[in-house]
Amino acid sequence: EIVLTQSPGTLSLSPGETATLSCGASQTVTSTHLAWYQQKPGQAPRLVIYATSSRATGIPDRFSGSGSGTAFTLTISRLEPEDFAVYYCQQYGSSFGQGTRLEIK
Amino acid sequence: QVQLQESGPGLVKPSETLSLTCTVSGVSTNSRSYYWSWIRQPAGKGLEWIGRISTSGSTKYNPSLKSRISMSVDTSKNQFSLNLTSVTAADTAVYYCARSDWLSLDYWGQGTLVTVSS
């Protein structure tokens, strides 16, 4: 079973800055099978990126995904207050990473 | 508009079976385009993928839970269900149901808290 490891555990940034979140896999992940989810307190997770780099419906273009093989990245440019949340990567039909908390500095 | 809603007991005794149902609206559980998935989240912790089922009954389960899980789909009621046997306090969590297309979990229920306690 592939293990996904996210870094950093917590990222403290200010609105307007750029966030770079990493997701590393213990084995190669098919690029179409890597997704990112955003979760705010008390809410269900929300799909942000699928197939490594495709934005889900309603997700602004400040969000972008990239990567291949065992290294994937979620980049959020020009951070808005509503972007501060926990982000999880997931291999489709399998495990999630442990999450990165994006907090306001 | 696709919506999913979990339902079931909020309290289950240790060693008993946890049973949850997800009622789907806006899309048919009979569609071959989707899988129907369960995910859970203990308080203050991360997401754990439990498993998924297709309309044909094909399943894929988390290996760590496989021996205790069963899932089913009732297309006549547009629902799918999760059974988790021999529960312990470690199974206390918010349980989410979700629709899975071929690439992601694109629609989620709001989640339901299940506590395992005597």
Side-chain angles (χ1 to χ4, degrees):
Chain A
E1 182 182 352
I2 295 177
V3 175
L4 299 178
T5 301
Q6 294 186 238
S7 61
T10 301
L11 185 57
S12 300
L13 294 171
S14 301
E17 293 190 301
T18 296
T20 302
L21 287 66
S22 297
C23 177
S26 60
Q27 302 173 46
T28 296
V29 173
T30 304
S31 61
T32 53
H33 287 182
L34 197 286
W36 291 89
Y37 301 87
Q38 175 194 70
Q39 187 178 33
K40 297 180 180 179
Q43 297 184 16
R46 174 192 184 191
L47 177 65
V48 174
I49 296 286
Y50 65 95
T52 296
S53 59
S54 297
R55 279 187 301 277
T57 302
I59 300 300
D61 61 7
R62 299 182 288 101
F63 288 80
S64 63
S66 63
S68 65
T70 61
F72 299 87
T73 301
L74 173 67
T75 302
I76 312 170
S77 305
R78 306 180 305 279
L79 282 166
E80 297 282 348
E82 61 266 27
D83 299 335
F84 291 90
V86 179
Y87 291 84
Y88 296 93
C89 59
Q90 189 212 13
Q91 181 197 8
Y92 175 70
S94 187
S95 58
F96 292 87
Q98 81 277 22
T100 290
R101 179 179 304 277
L102 177 59
E103 64 177 25
I104 297 178
K105 186 174 183 179
Chain B
Q1 181 182 2
V2 176
Q3 292 185 320
L4 297 93
Q5 178 68 59
E6 306 87 353
S7 60
L11 181 64
V12 181
K13 289 182 168 58
S15 80
E16 295 191 343
T17 296
L18 179 161
S19 296
L20 295 174
T21 296
C22 183
T23 301
V24 181
S25 59
V27 62
S28 172
T29 55
N30 199 33
S31 171
R32 294 183 180 183
S33 298
Y34 306 110
Y35 288 99
W36 305 98
S37 302
W38 290 96
I39 304 96
R40 71 180 183 179
Q41 184 173 37
K45 296 187 178 181
L47 301 169
E48 181 178 28
W49 181 77
I50 298 172
R52 70 182 189 204
I53 185 168
S54 71
T55 188
S56 66
S58 173
T59 56
K60 181 180 179 183
Y61 297 147
N62 183 327
S64 68
L65 299 170
K66 186 175 183 178
S67 64
R68 299 195 290 132
I69 296 175
S70 64
M71 295 182 184
S72 60
V73 176
D74 186 338
T75 56
S76 67
K77 295 182 179 178
N78 221 33
Q79 295 175 333
F80 61 103
S81 298
L82 167 70
N83 282 339
L84 179 65
T85 62
S86 304
V87 296
T88 69
D91 295 309
T92 294
V94 174
Y95 284 75
Y96 296 99
C97 61
R99 187 183 83 168
S100 176
D101 62 13
W102 296 101
L103 299 174
S104 63
L105 299 160
D106 58 353
Y107 285 92
W108 295 63
Q110 65 185 24
T112 187
L113 174 62
V114 178
T115 301
V116 178
S117 176
S118 56

